Amino acid sequence: TGVQTCALPISFAGLIQESMQRDIGWRFLEMGRRMERILQTVSLLRSLWVPSCEYKDEYLMIEAVLQSVESLISFRRRYQRQMKIRHGLDFLILEAGNPRSLIFQLERLQQHVKESITPLNGERESQVQRLVLQAHMSLRLTSPEVLATVEEKRFVRSDLDQLLSRIQYLVTAAADEIGERYFD
């Protein structure tokens, strides 16, 4: 039944949070969860917010994205009735206090990588650490106003697409690096 299917992931997440030892296995699980959330959010934003649309449709698009990442209520509490793309980008990409934002996920990922992945051959930082740091700094060095700008002739947000594409590449490369180094 639907209730049993839905309860399984929630039960598993609760079991992990409440019962699992905070050892290397837990850290790898957390890194995977963070990477997956980042990649899902990037894919969603690239699909729905990179192409521009009319103002009345943009409102619905912003609301749909926020609802799908379970952030609509928090967004409304912060921005009241200002359903603008730059506010949505600020909230879902750059808001460090929002657990659904990309920056929040990358900060947690960075912490787990730092505590789990050891550099090889006397390096100061591992390749995974460098990739995650590049993704994090790419976000820190941007602004929602720039990301919200629509390229007139193409009707897309090119800066947003480039940033999200870079984040996707860096996080995927970090995941590949972890897979090559730690898993057969």
Side-chain angles (χ1 to χ4, degrees):
T1 66
V3 174
Q4 292 170 336
T5 305
C6 182
L8 184 60
I10 294 168
S11 305
F12 184 66
L15 181 65
I16 290 168
Q17 289 301 98
E18 298 297 325
S19 303
M20 193 169 176
Q21 291 286 327
R22 300 306 194 253
D23 59 7
I24 193 74
W26 178 81
R27 290 211 181 275
F28 276 104
L29 184 65
E30 281 295 304
M31 284 188 280
R33 287 179 58 214
R34 302 299 174 180
M35 289 177 171
E36 188 174 312
R37 168 93 29 101
I38 291 165
L39 294 174
Q40 287 175 344
T41 302
V42 163
S43 179
L44 180 68
L45 295 178
R46 285 187 82 189
S47 298
L48 299 178
W49 285 4
V50 166
S52 84
C53 53
E54 293 183 29
Y55 180 74
K56 62 180 180 162
D57 296 329
E58 189 172 274
Y59 180 93
L60 296 172
M61 196 66 67
I62 294 167
E63 190 173 86
V65 168
L66 291 167
Q67 196 167 21
S68 72
V69 295
E70 301 170 352
S71 294
L72 184 59
I73 293 171
S74 300
F75 179 87
R76 284 186 173 154
R77 188 175 24 241
R78 180 170 182 175
Y79 293 102
Q80 281 89 37
R81 301 237 177 243
Q82 298 179 21
M83 214 40 116
K84 297 182 179 171
I85 196 76
R86 75 173 186 271
H87 295 141
L89 291 168
D90 181 50
F91 194 68
L92 285 183
I93 294 178
L94 303 171
E95 177 54 50
N98 176 13
R100 300 295 183 170
S101 74
L102 292 177
I103 198 93
F104 182 94
Q105 296 300 320
L106 275 166
E107 287 173 356
R108 297 311 174 281
L109 177 60
Q110 205 170 13
Q111 178 183 356
H112 291 303
V113 166
K114 183 179 179 183
E115 294 174 9
S116 304
I117 310 292
T118 55
L120 297 174
N121 304 326
E123 297 175 318
R124 293 181 69 189
E125 291 182 329
S126 70
Q127 178 64 12
V128 176
Q129 288 170 320
R130 284 193 292 275
L131 291 165
V132 173
L133 178 61
Q134 286 178 31
H136 185 251
M137 293 312 296
S138 294
L139 292 182
R140 303 267 314 162
L141 295 172
T142 193
S143 76
E145 290 78 20
V146 170
L147 296 177
T149 303
V150 175
E151 193 175 308
E152 290 185 31
K153 292 182 181 179
R154 293 182 53 215
F155 302 104
V156 295
R157 294 179 178 84
S158 297
D159 291 326
L160 175 61
D161 190 37
Q162 289 174 6
L163 174 69
L164 295 174
S165 177
R166 178 161 176 73
I167 300 301
Q168 183 176 19
Y169 168 77
L170 292 168
V171 171
T172 301
D176 291 344
E177 187 74 25
I178 289 170
E180 284 180 31
R181 184 167 170 191
Y182 291 97
F183 302 105
D184 287 336

